Amino acid sequence: MMKPGCLFISSTNDTSFFLRNGSAGIIINPGNGEIVKAYIKSKSDAKASMSYKTTALGSKPASRADSYSSKGPSSSCPYVLKPDITVPGTSILAAWPPNLPVAQFGSQNLSSNFNFASGTSMACPHGAGVAHPDWSPVAIRSAIMTTSDVFDNTKELVKDIATDYKPASPLALGAGHVNPNKALDPGLVYDVGVQDCVNLLCAMNSTQQNISIITRYGNGSSNESRGEIIYTDSVTPIQGFNVTVIPSKLVFKEKNEKLISDKLRIEGAKIEVFG
């Protein structure tokens, strides 16, 4: 027996709204939506079907920055890049308390041990699962950010759905999309020492009490390499800016050796953070 369904044309991949409203259907992006509408207009008996309980693998392009994802810069600290990283957080199939309905059809509540959900609560576990238990919080952050991907699985720049699928800026994507395998063996990582924290907090006009509370947990910079390894600088030119790394080469002779002489200098045009 044929059952009615809905076809939603939307720029978001978030299905939670449609599920909460008891709608059986699928969501397609505006580009494919135009194709479907043209097909409907061309056929007086246009038909379509949907398949249930199927899993589609290898979708392309992926990943993409979703429209609801929080964008930078940080209002409290605009000169530090935010967000740090992008992780999966849209339409995640996750465990769900059975006493809370996953959908409502008419007056009937439907329960399940699993549900699709989107947002920070879905993204955080993906990020936390990449963390190495033996590293400092800042080393973990560095490992995740420096090994992230800015290209999708079609080898194009990750797109931002909120800007009509234009390439995502760092204020939407952060350093990139998390790459768990690379993050486990990042090579060089950048840690933060107490003085680094003090300098930042002073720039933010923090009180002495706040600075003392925060900085007692500071750590030095470290490297997570195996055996002797040499890192040389490689800078992608940026129009209007002169970027230099001092020194141009770092040599580590053993695992967890710490070098604190690495400096990055950026000179050039004035940056307007808020445009």
Side-chain angles (χ1 to χ4, degrees):
M1 181 177 65
M2 299 294 291
K3 296 182 178 180
C6 300
L7 176 63
F8 299 98
I9 300 174
S10 175
S11 60
T12 179
N13 292 324
D14 184 7
T15 61
S16 57
F17 168 79
F18 306 102
L19 291 173
R20 287 195 302 269
N21 287 274
S23 301
I26 59 175
I27 305 172
I28 61 176
N29 63 43
N32 289 329
E34 293 302 317
I35 296 175
V36 172
K37 288 192 290 185
Y39 167 70
I40 294 174
K41 292 178 180 179
S42 68
K43 299 279 188 178
S44 59
D45 59 344
K47 297 178 181 179
S49 62
M50 294 182 291
S51 298
Y52 293 90
K53 297 183 179 179
T54 61
T55 300
L57 302 176
S59 298
K60 294 184 178 181
S63 59
R64 291 174 289 191
D66 215 331
S67 56
Y68 66 86
S69 183
S70 297
K71 305 295 194 294
S74 168
S75 58
S76 62
C77 189
Y79 30 83
V80 174
L81 174 64
K82 291 294 176 182
D84 292 334
I85 197 72
T86 299
V87 297
T90 297
S91 299
I92 303 298
L93 181 61
W96 188 262
N99 60 318
L100 296 179
V102 298
Q104 185 177 33
F105 288 93
S107 60
Q108 181 181 6
N109 291 331
L110 299 182
S111 299
S112 175
N113 292 325
F114 297 91
N115 191 16
F116 285 100
S118 301
T120 305
S121 296
M122 297 295 103
C124 282
H126 285 86
V130 183
H132 195 290
D134 297 329
W135 297 351
S136 72
V138 181
I140 292 170
R141 173 176 175 264
S142 173
I144 293 175
M145 291 178 67
T146 58
T147 58
S148 61
D149 296 324
V150 295
F151 296 100
D152 60 26
N153 58 1
T154 66
K155 302 187 184 304
E156 297 288 337
L157 290 171
V158 173
K159 304 300 191 296
D160 185 358
I161 296 176
T163 60
D164 197 22
Y165 297 91
K166 292 182 174 64
S169 75
L171 297 180
L173 191 64
H177 188 270
V178 66
N179 188 318
N181 292 334
K182 288 184 179 180
L184 291 177
D185 189 14
L188 180 69
V189 296
Y190 293 90
D191 213 340
V192 171
V194 174
Q195 190 58 49
D196 297 307
C197 294
V198 172
N199 294 342
L200 175 61
L201 293 170
C202 288
M204 296 174 64
N205 296 320
S206 298
T207 65
Q208 183 62 47
Q209 181 181 7
N210 289 339
I211 294 175
S212 298
I213 292 173
I214 295 172
T215 56
R216 63 180 177 176
Y217 297 107
N219 292 291
S221 60
S222 67
N223 175 70
E224 300 290 346
S225 65
R226 291 189 292 269
E228 181 173 305
I229 188 169
I230 300 174
Y231 291 92
T232 56
D233 72 274
S234 177
V235 178
T236 301
I238 304 175
Q239 186 177 2
F241 294 90
N242 181 31
V243 182
T244 56
V245 180
I246 305 171
S248 61
K249 180 171 67 174
L250 294 175
V251 180
F252 296 90
K253 296 183 178 180
E254 60 183 16
K255 182 179 180 179
N256 296 330
E257 181 182 357
K258 300 181 180 181
L259 297 178
I260 59 175
S261 59
D262 185 35
K263 294 183 179 180
L264 175 67
R265 177 177 296 165
I266 303 176
E267 301 173 306
K270 180 181 178 182
I271 300 175
E272 295 290 343
V273 176
F274 293 100

